[in-house]
């Protein structure tokens, strides 16, 4: 019997990570793309430091977190591993923005001017500029974070003028759908937004879309970064 990927006691993190990279490579090949152009972000939220180290030992360096205090604790514990790249991918509360600004390398969830202003002001001057992705509510869900498509330009213009922020691209978490065509439509809409933004800011290079359940559709539509958690670390607690 084939072990279930969500059972960490039957399949190791190393095996799941290898499987995730193979899945990306196959999706890239099917889309006639180079898999080296697609970054795997291992979403380690709610997972212990030991799981992160298991992935690190297999060469994984990019990790995504959504809960500020939990993430800051992990970053402190792993401070000696200076080549780890930490991405904040969750909603940002104003009272936690200083911690995000001081501890992360990337923030993928900037969706309003207020948060961009706070991150720019609170990023320590001695640190490199904070890499920023604008989160877009591409499926226009009432309860979901992300700016409207019409708000991208204003937010991008502000971020591009901030000395402590570096605009890198867009991120989205489209509405879940069992229909692959619907998934692709959302991803293609975001790709169109990204292409338009790139004509104004040629240096942007990151389109973060696609998770464990829709990697293939996202890569087919042009994603340059996929965020995979469950298929690497197992079911979240």
């Amino acid at each position: 019997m084939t072990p279930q990927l969500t059972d960490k006691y039957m399949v190791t993190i190393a095996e799941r990570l290898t499987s995730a990279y193979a899945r990306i490579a196959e999706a890239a090949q099917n889309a006639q793309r180079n898999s080296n152009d697609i970054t795997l972000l291992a979403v380690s939220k709610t997972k212990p430091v030991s799981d992160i180290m298991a992935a690190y030992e297999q060469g994984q360096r990019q990790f995504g977190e959504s809960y500020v205090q939990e993430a800051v604790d992990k970053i402190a514990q792993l401070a000696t591993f200076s080549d780890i790249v930490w991405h904040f991918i969750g909603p940002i509360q104003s009272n936690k923005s200083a911690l995000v600004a001081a501890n992360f390398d990337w923030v993928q969830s900037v969706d309003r001017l207020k948060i961009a202003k706070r991150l720019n002001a609170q990023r320590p001057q001695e640190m490199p500029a904070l890499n920023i992705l604008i989160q877009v509510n591409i499926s226009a869900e009432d309860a979901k974070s992300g700016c409207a498509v019409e708000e991208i330009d204003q937010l991008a213009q502000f971020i591009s003028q901030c000395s402590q922020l570096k605009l890198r691209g867009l991120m989205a978490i489209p509405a879940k759908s069992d229909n692959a065509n619907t998934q692709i439509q959302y991803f293609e809409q975001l790709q169109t937004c990204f292409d338009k933004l790139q004509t104004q800011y040629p240096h942007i290079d990151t389109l973060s879309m696609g998770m464990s359940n829709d990697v293939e559709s996202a890569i087919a539509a042009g994603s340059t970064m996929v965020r995979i958690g469950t298929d690497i670390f197992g079911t979240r607690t």
Side-chain angles (χ1 to χ4, degrees), residues 190-210:
L190 193 67
Q191 174 71 62
T192 298
C193 294
F194 180 76
D195 289 343
K196 179 184 175 184
L197 201 63
Q198 231 177 9
T199 63
Q200 300 170 268
Y201 308 98
H203 64 276
I204 70 169
D205 55 9
T206 303
L207 182 58
S208 176
M209 59 185 190

Side-chain angles (χ1 to χ4, degrees), residues 167-178:
L167 180 64
R168 296 295 297 270
L170 302 177
M171 182 271 262
I173 309 171
K176 290 183 179 180
S177 175
D178 295 328

Side-chain angles (χ1 to χ4, degrees), residues 127-196:
M127 295 183 72
L130 186 59
N131 295 293
I132 299 294
L133 299 185
I134 295 172
Q135 182 173 353
V136 183
N137 185 357
I138 199 66
S139 45
E141 295 174 87
D142 291 339
K144 182 165 285 183
S145 299
C147 71
V149 169
E150 301 78 34
E151 298 171 330
I152 294 174
D153 288 344
Q154 181 187 19
L155 194 47
Q157 183 178 18
F158 176 80
I159 293 168
S160 69
Q161 295 171 348
C162 291
S163 61
Q164 292 302 102
L165 305 181
K166 183 176 182 180
L167 180 64
R168 296 295 297 270
L170 302 177
M171 182 271 262
I173 309 171
K176 290 183 179 180
S177 175
D178 295 328
N179 187 319
N181 289 331
T182 300
Q183 286 182 334
I184 290 174
Q185 285 176 0
Y186 287 139
F187 290 140
E188 287 179 342
Q189 288 172 24
L190 193 67
Q191 174 71 62
T192 298
C193 294
F194 180 76
D195 289 343
K196 179 184 175 184

Side-chain angles (χ1 to χ4, degrees), residues 6-234:
T6 54
D7 189 338
K8 69 179 292 183
Y9 299 105
M10 297 177 70
V11 182
T12 67
I13 287 172
E15 289 171 318
R16 286 201 214 99
L17 193 58
T18 298
S19 178
Y21 273 105
R23 184 181 175 192
I24 290 169
E26 182 178 2
Q29 183 177 24
N30 291 339
Q32 298 184 318
R33 296 182 60 198
N34 187 338
S35 61
N36 292 330
D37 295 334
I38 302 162
T39 298
L40 169 58
L41 180 65
V43 178
S44 48
K45 64 181 181 181
T46 78
K47 296 301 178 180
V49 165
S50 58
D51 282 8
I52 295 174
M53 286 310 303
Y56 180 91
E57 289 168 1
Q58 298 303 310
Q60 181 64 29
R61 293 295 182 269
Q62 312 246 4
F63 294 92
E65 294 283 335
S66 295
Y67 306 113
V68 177
Q69 193 56 60
E70 173 197 331
V72 168
D73 291 344
K74 292 178 186 176
I75 292 169
Q77 291 180 63
L78 297 172
T80 55
F81 298 92
S82 59
D83 55 345
I84 292 180
V85 180
W86 295 101
H87 295 244
F88 190 76
I89 60 176
I92 303 173
Q93 297 173 313
S94 295
N95 63 347
K96 299 288 181 65
S97 61
L99 285 172
V100 173
N103 286 278
F104 285 85
D105 304 294
W106 288 68
V107 178
Q108 298 201 15
S109 48
V110 175
D111 60 359
R112 57 197 189 278
L113 283 171
K114 176 183 178 181
I115 292 300
K117 290 176 182 177
R118 291 181 69 87
L119 292 174
N120 184 57
Q122 295 166 336
R123 180 69 166 179
Q125 291 292 319
E126 69 275 11
M127 295 183 72
L130 186 59
N131 295 293
I132 299 294
L133 299 185
I134 295 172
Q135 182 173 353
V136 183
N137 185 357
I138 199 66
S139 45
E141 295 174 87
D142 291 339
K144 182 165 285 183
S145 299
C147 71
V149 169
E150 301 78 34
E151 298 171 330
I152 294 174
D153 288 344
Q154 181 187 19
L155 194 47
Q157 183 178 18
F158 176 80
I159 293 168
S160 69
Q161 295 171 348
C162 291
S163 61
Q164 292 302 102
L165 305 181
K166 183 176 182 180
L167 180 64
R168 296 295 297 270
L170 302 177
M171 182 271 262
I173 309 171
K176 290 183 179 180
S177 175
D178 295 328
N179 187 319
N181 289 331
T182 300
Q183 286 182 334
I184 290 174
Q185 285 176 0
Y186 287 139
F187 290 140
E188 287 179 342
Q189 288 172 24
L190 193 67
Q191 174 71 62
T192 298
C193 294
F194 180 76
D195 289 343
K196 179 184 175 184
L197 201 63
Q198 231 177 9
T199 63
Q200 300 170 268
Y201 308 98
H203 64 276
I204 70 169
D205 55 9
T206 303
L207 182 58
S208 176
M209 59 185 190
M211 299 186 290
S212 292
N213 64 330
D214 52 18
V215 164
E216 289 77 13
S217 297
I219 290 176
S223 174
T224 68
M225 181 178 288
V226 292
R227 308 178 304 273
I228 299 180
T230 302
D231 281 3
I232 296 173
F233 297 110

